[in-house]
Amino acid sequence: MSSPPGRCLVFTSPLEPDLVERVRSASDGLEVVYPTELLASPRYPSAHPLPSVEEDGATARWNELLDGAEILFDFGPVALASKLSARPRLRWIQATSAGVGRFAERAGLLDSEITITTASGPHARPLAEFALLAMLMFGKNTLHLTRQQREHRWERHADEEVRGKVVCVVGLGKIGLEVARLATALDARVIGTVRTLDGRTAAELGVERLETTERLDELLPQADVVVLATPHTPETHHLVDARRLALMKPTAILVNVARGDVVDEQALVAALGDGRLKGAALDVFEQEPLPPESPLWDLPNVFVSPHSASTVAAENGRIADLFCENIRRYLAEEPLLNVLDKELLY
């Protein structure tokens, strides 16, 4: 396989044929390469597995493609990621995930001139619905009811409503804003945090109260639900640690749709096991896949999701639309959407 001549866009993770054609139609003047035989097969709708280089000749073929690419759809083989900054023609990578800052850091891309755009936006609604599911599930004792049904046990009880609950959303990006909107629709009282206010007001962001994340200690004791929707950066690593977990109400629940490293998982296990926290709904973990021996699997007050809350069947279409708009902007030399800030890592 030879590198296509001229300006080249290379797909490195799978997309449906009709969406590839949609991208091709938007790529006027670009050679679009979809190397079917090199791409990993998706195991479920909208999966974006990065390719391996284990098959004979795969490394050489990927090196040839990557050396000829000006634009990449996703980052390509993980084994070759550290060499992306040295690719002679590469100018732009469109990621398929929103939280790619730490991956870009590990790949040595932060000091390069390569522009990285994230897939921020398409995942906001499904992740917000996961947070809403958690609020309803714990309010309606769903985990307990499931156990009762399995045991054929009839035992009446009283439930709670979302209405009137204080929901603290940590990180009011696109995901956090959608969480706030849906929670408000159920008559929750939403308070939110951002890294810096930058003149923004609570009314503009659709929350009852707006603070910087530095003031999280003041907000946690008030919250019935804490939803983590912040990027993982050095500043947010173990943002919720043992000390902050101790500030939360014993009747509160924690929802993590950010990254696993935002929470001190060992401290969370201890708080959940000791009854110092009502429960947790977790889509992300410090180690993924979650090890079979993790206590989180068996704690009766934990809902485990295998980092899948962001993935819905419609995701690929939304990412393709974002990519097409960015291609249009790129060819017109206009500012791209969702450019990764290489200092803030989001």
Side-chain angles (χ1 to χ4, degrees), residues 66-84:
L66 295 174
D67 278 343
E70 180 176 339
I71 302 168
L72 292 182
F73 180 80
D74 234 338
F75 290 93
V78 174
L80 302 179
S82 63
K83 299 179 181 178
L84 284 172

Side-chain angles (χ1 to χ4, degrees), residues 100-283:
V100 298
R102 299 314 290 263
F103 181 89
E105 181 180 43
R106 292 192 298 272
L109 290 167
L110 299 186
D111 294 326
S112 75
E113 296 183 1
I114 298 168
T115 299
I116 299 169
T117 52
T118 76
S120 174
H123 309 102
R125 178 62 185 236
L127 286 172
E129 288 188 0
F130 178 84
L132 210 64
L133 168 68
M135 297 178 210
L136 292 167
M137 183 171 58
F138 281 99
K140 303 305 178 186
N141 284 299
T142 305
L143 295 178
H144 177 66
L145 287 174
T146 301
R147 289 191 294 272
Q148 280 190 317
Q149 181 173 345
R150 195 162 51 237
E151 297 166 4
H152 298 192
R153 182 156 50 92
W154 179 280
E155 195 174 275
R156 298 195 67 195
H157 63 275
D159 286 334
E160 297 177 350
E161 299 173 327
V162 174
R163 178 173 54 181
K165 296 291 186 184
V166 176
V167 178
C168 177
V169 182
V170 183
L172 288 176
K174 292 174 183 176
I175 296 167
L177 287 173
E178 187 67 1
V179 172
R181 189 182 73 83
L182 295 184
T184 300
L186 287 184
D187 299 319
R189 299 176 54 205
V190 182
I191 55 181
T193 78
V194 291
R195 187 179 64 86
T196 57
L197 294 178
D198 293 329
R200 293 173 291 180
T201 66
E204 289 172 358
L205 297 183
V207 296
E208 184 175 306
R209 178 181 173 187
L210 179 65
E211 300 288 353
T212 62
T213 306
E214 289 180 347
R215 302 189 66 177
L216 187 57
D217 287 3
E218 301 174 32
L219 305 179
L220 290 177
Q222 306 171 40
D224 299 297
V225 181
V226 176
V227 180
L228 302 176
T230 184
H232 178 224
T233 69
E235 288 72 30
T236 62
H237 186 79
H238 283 189
L239 179 71
V240 178
D241 55 11
R243 184 186 65 79
R244 283 195 162 127
L245 287 167
L247 295 175
M248 295 174 63
K249 299 177 181 179
T251 55
I253 67 167
L254 179 72
V255 183
N256 192 2
V257 293
R259 283 292 185 264
D261 291 317
V262 173
V263 178
D264 181 338
E265 205 165 274
Q266 186 174 353
L268 177 61
V269 167
L272 290 164
D274 294 344
R276 289 180 281 119
L277 202 61
K278 179 177 181 178
L282 309 171
D283 184 52

